[in-house]
Each structure stands twice: as C-alpha cells, then as structure tokens.
Amino acid sequence: MSQTASSSPQARPWIRARRLARRKTRQMRRFSRKGLQISLLLAGAALVALVSMGFAQLADWALDWNRQWAAAHGWLALIVLPCALAGLRWLTLRYAPQAAGSGIPQVIAALSLRPGPAQTSLVSLRQTLWKIPLTFLAMLAGASVGREGPSVQVGAAVMLSWGNLCRRLGLRMRGFHAQELIAAGAAGGLAAAFNAPLAGVIFAIEELGRGAALRWQRLVLLGVLACGFMVVALAGNNPYFGVFGGQALAENMIGWVIACGLLNGCLGGLFARLLGKGLTGVLPQAWRETVRRRPIAAAFGLGLAVALIGLASQGATYGTGYGTAAVLLAGDGAAPAGFGLSKLAATVASYWAGIPGGIFTPALTTGAGLGHQLWLWTGGSVDGKVLVLISMAAFLAAATQSPLTASVVVMEMTGSQPMLFWLLAGSLLASVVSRQFCPQPFYHLSAGRFRRVAQLEAARRQAPKPPEVSKP
C-alpha cells in the first residue's frame, strides 16, 4: 500500500523535491569545504606576502643607511665589514646554522626529504626567522648579499608553519602535504620579493620541481600567484628596476645576444663553481683544515676582502648593487671601472663567509656590470641598455642554470615584455656555456650538503642514548 502511494502521481513531485534538496545540500557542503581550503590557502599566502614586504622594507633601510655611512666615512668599512661578518658568522653558527647562505638550497633539500625532523630543521620557523635580522645587518654593514633568496626560505617556513597550525586547530588543508606547503611558500616568497607573480610560478616549476616529487595542483600554483598579486595590490605594479626604455637593436641583434651569452656564461659558470667549492675548496690542501677549524677568523678575513673591493669601486659593490644596475639599465650614467668583476668577487667573498644572504640580486647587478663592460668594448656603437638587460638575465641563468626563471624574472623586474625572446635566447646560451664550468646547478649542489647535514643531525638526535653505568 505504501509503495503504491509513494509511486502515485501526487507523490512524485515531493520525491523529486527531496532528491533535489539532498543533492543541493551535498553540493553546498562540497562548496563550503572547497571555500574553506581556498580561504586557508589565501590566508597563508597573505602571511607570506606581508612578511616578504616587511623584509623588503628592512632591506631598503639597510641599503640606504649603508650608503649614507659609507659615503661619509668610507674608511670605516675596513673595520665594520670584518667585524660584522665575523659576528654574523658566530651568530649563525650559534643560533641558526640552517639559515646560512641563500636559503634556496635549504628549501630544495627539504623538498627532497620525507616529512620529519630532517625536513623540518631546514625550514624551521624558529631558525629561519633569524635570517631576516642577520641579512639586514649584513646589508647594513655592506656585504654583497640580497634578500630574495632568504625570502624564499622564510616564505617556505611561514607557509609550512601555517599549515601545521591549521592542522592542530582541526582545519586540515586537504591536498596539501609538507612538500606542497614548502613549495608554495618558497615560490610565493620569491614572487613577493621581486613583485613578479609569473616569475614565482616559473621558479616553482623549473627550480623547485627539478628532482622533487611534487604534485602541482591548482591550489599550489594559486598560492604562489596569490602572494605575488597581493604585493602588487598593496605596493603597486612597479617593476623593481623601473620600466626598460630600450628596444631590440636594428642590426646584428643575434650577434650581440650571442656575445652576451658567451661572456656571461663563462663568468657565470666560474661564479657558480666558486660558490659551490667554497673557500676551503680553492685553498691549498695544507690550509684547509685550519680554515675549517676557525670559521670566525675566516669570515673576518673575507670581510676585509669585501671592504677592500668596495673601497676600490667607490662603494658600488656594497649591498645588492641595485643603484648602479638601475643607472646602467636606464642609460643615465656609468659604472666604476671593472664593476662587473668587482661585484662578482665581492659576492663570492660574502657568500664564503657563511652568513645569511642571497645571490639573486647581486648576480643580476654583476650581469649589468658585465653588459656595460661589453658596451665599452664596442666603443658605444650600440645601445648599451640592451646589452645590460640581456647580460642581467644571462648571468643569472648561468649562475643558477635556470634560464626560464632568469628570463621571466628580468622581464617582470624591468617591464621589458617585448624583449622576452632575446632574454630567453641569451639565458639559454649562457646556461649551456655555464655547464662546462659547473656541471651541476649550484643550488642543487649546495642542497646536497644541507640535506646530508640535516639527516645526520636528525639521526644523532633520534639515536638511543647509551645506558649510564653506575659507579661503584
């Protein structure tokens, strides 16, 4: 009787209405869960963007104050830089050993490890946050370092910590494992640091995804873009180096791109090889053990070398070198003689000191100096701005062996979209030439060392303690 009633024509509309209501309820629940995931992701991206913007402001203050005291009392660099690099090295070894150097190798190493103590130590928020004040002090003293690499490690640590906090609060970010959180935060940190959202995505795929088992879901790439677009919304769409005012050369453009690629590929490959070998790798065998046992004294000596290079270049090699590169790119002035080689040497010495600080912007300004030198060799017969622009991307590509990232970064930092093809051509050639000097990409070579240290330290902590032997 009930079956007949339920199948009667009068009951069918009610059945269809109940089914429709249940279907809509399920859809709303799925929509709510998806909306919650996106909201949590955007909140994490906002944290990364805000931290990166604060870091950028601190870096700008450090560079301005360094410029002021170096211009007024340049000789003080002979005292300030050695003492500062030695002190920063001690602080790094004492409080944040995993915050040394750029920060990008630590992120790459963390992505290649399984979730656990070893991975967490490389992107620990407690250690990584030390990178901000230590990099600030390094730039204030005049070390040839940048903030973009550190922003990558800081972004990874912030996003991973945000995901862990959400998990503890019962707000699980579905589809996001530790690797995805680290990758999204790291690439978002780069996008926010350079005010270049597209470059962050390319960096995530080309550099972070190389050799790592990452699942590039839409939400991961959305997090990267969100970091960059939030900075654009808050700080404005202002290219880091200003808008490039030149255009492709009317004659022999291919020949000049090849010249830029060859010059920067050779020197960029040498630069990467020196960074990878480290100070002990280039010293005579008899001195190596002494330097390993006295890292503070080595940092002091390297600080003195950075100071001497800075004095010889009228202070142009201090900090990122942004001011000199911006002038060369705009065609409004010249650089001190040999600026490109001086900047290369100052950056290598600063990195060898083992202090926190990146090489991204110093590599770009080194390329700008080499492009200017190439223009001087031509006798000013071509537009020097074009050679400077191509050389910036080519040297960065040679140093990192990531030509797509280098091309897009320079394009977004200079507003030079019409030059993208030539940037990519010069970067690809420089990357190929660089491999002849440094077969393994520098970031991944350095990442292997950080990975081994993290694994050994984690194993040491987890090893059972030997039983205590009672004394008679």
Side-chain angles (χ1 to χ4, degrees):
M1 185 70 179
S2 59
Q3 292 179 353
T4 305
S6 61
S7 60
S8 64
Q10 293 82 2
R12 287 173 186 170
W14 294 102
I15 296 173
R16 288 197 296 268
R18 284 198 300 270
R19 290 174 179 172
L20 180 61
R22 285 196 295 267
R23 187 163 62 249
K24 291 297 183 182
T25 301
R26 289 194 297 268
Q27 290 175 353
M28 289 298 296
R29 288 176 179 172
R30 287 197 296 268
F31 179 79
S32 299
R33 287 195 296 269
K34 185 177 294 186
L36 176 61
Q37 298 304 307
I38 293 177
S39 299
L40 294 175
L41 174 65
L42 293 178
L47 285 175
V48 173
L50 290 174
V51 171
S52 297
M53 291 181 66
F55 193 4
Q57 184 60 64
L58 285 174
D60 290 341
W61 287 340
L63 293 173
D64 289 340
W65 294 339
N66 170 262
R67 197 176 300 114
Q68 293 173 17
W69 74 256
H73 308 287
W75 60 269
L76 274 177
L78 295 173
I79 301 173
V80 172
L81 267 166
C83 294
L85 265 60
L88 291 171
R89 179 59 173 159
W90 180 85
L91 287 171
T92 303
L93 290 172
R94 178 69 176 81
Y95 296 105
Q98 300 291 18
S102 165
I104 295 177
Q106 291 92 316
V107 171
I108 294 174
L111 289 173
S112 65
L113 292 171
R114 294 180 179 178
Q119 183 189 72
T120 303
S121 68
L122 291 167
V123 286
S124 163
L125 187 63
R126 182 182 63 82
Q127 281 207 34
T128 303
L129 287 182
W130 271 96
K131 214 171 185 78
I132 296 177
L134 294 178
T135 303
F136 168 81
L137 292 173
M139 299 174 79
L140 178 62
S144 181
V145 297
R147 60 173 171 83
E148 289 76 21
S151 296
V152 170
Q153 189 181 11
V154 171
V158 169
M159 185 66 86
L160 180 61
S161 298
W162 172 249
N164 292 336
L165 176 62
C166 291
R167 190 174 297 111
R168 286 195 295 269
L169 295 176
L171 303 172
R172 184 175 296 275
M173 299 176 70
R174 297 183 182 277
F176 277 84
H177 299 86
Q179 270 83 355
E180 283 75 28
L181 288 169
I182 293 170
L190 182 81
F194 279 127
N195 201 359
L198 181 58
V201 173
I202 300 298
F203 172 77
I205 297 173
E206 182 182 33
E207 189 65 63
L208 300 182
R210 186 186 301 175
L214 288 174
R215 299 181 302 172
W216 294 112
Q217 301 185 33
R218 291 177 299 170
L219 289 178
V220 175
L221 299 181
L222 175 62
V224 177
L225 290 172
C227 290
F229 287 135
M230 285 178 187
V231 173
V232 171
L234 295 173
N237 187 20
N238 303 313
Y240 187 74
F241 283 105
V243 178
F244 177 69
Q247 57 184 351
L249 303 176
E251 298 180 0
N252 202 22
M253 182 64 186
I254 296 178
W256 291 116
V257 170
I258 292 175
C260 290
L262 291 175
L263 176 63
N264 288 278
C266 292
L267 291 175
L270 178 62
F271 174 75
R273 186 173 181 84
L274 289 173
L275 293 180
K277 291 177 75 68
L279 178 60
T280 56
V282 300
L283 287 175
Q285 185 71 36
W287 297 2
R288 294 181 182 179
E289 189 58 34
T290 302
V291 171
R292 289 193 185 99
R293 290 199 307 265
R294 295 177 173 84
I296 311 301
F300 185 92
L302 290 167
L304 183 59
V306 175
L308 292 172
I309 295 170
L311 290 175
S313 63
Q314 294 90 50
T317 58
Y318 295 146
T320 60
Y322 166 83
T324 303
V327 167
L328 294 177
L329 194 61
D332 294 335
F339 169 72
L341 292 177
S342 298
K343 188 62 179 172
L344 187 155
T347 305
V348 169
S350 299
Y351 193 88
W352 279 355
I355 63 173
I359 65 165
F360 243 85
T361 305
L364 290 171
T365 54
T366 299
L370 295 175
H372 178 67
Q373 185 63 51
L374 183 61
W375 175 75
L376 291 177
W377 290 338
T378 69
S381 60
V382 298
D383 186 358
K385 299 191 298 293
V386 174
L387 301 184
V388 169
L389 180 74
I390 300 297
S391 294
M392 290 172 68
F395 190 86
L396 180 60
T400 62
Q401 293 185 19
S402 299
L404 290 177
T405 299
S407 303
V408 176
V409 160
V410 172
M411 178 198 72
E412 290 196 280
M413 292 177 72
T414 60
S416 56
Q417 285 80 359
M419 297 291 293
L420 180 58
F421 172 78
W422 300 112
L423 291 172
L424 185 57
S427 298
L428 287 170
L429 176 59
S431 182
V432 171
V433 173
S434 171
R435 290 192 183 96
Q436 313 313 310
F437 297 85
C438 186
Q440 187 176 2
F442 158 67
Y443 284 141
H444 291 262
L445 177 64
S446 183
R449 299 193 184 104
F450 280 104
R451 180 170 54 248
R452 288 191 293 272
V453 170
Q455 289 174 326
L456 289 173
E457 183 65 20
R460 185 185 65 81
R461 292 180 178 179
Q462 293 177 352
K465 295 182 179 180
E468 296 183 1
V469 179
S470 59
K471 296 181 180 180

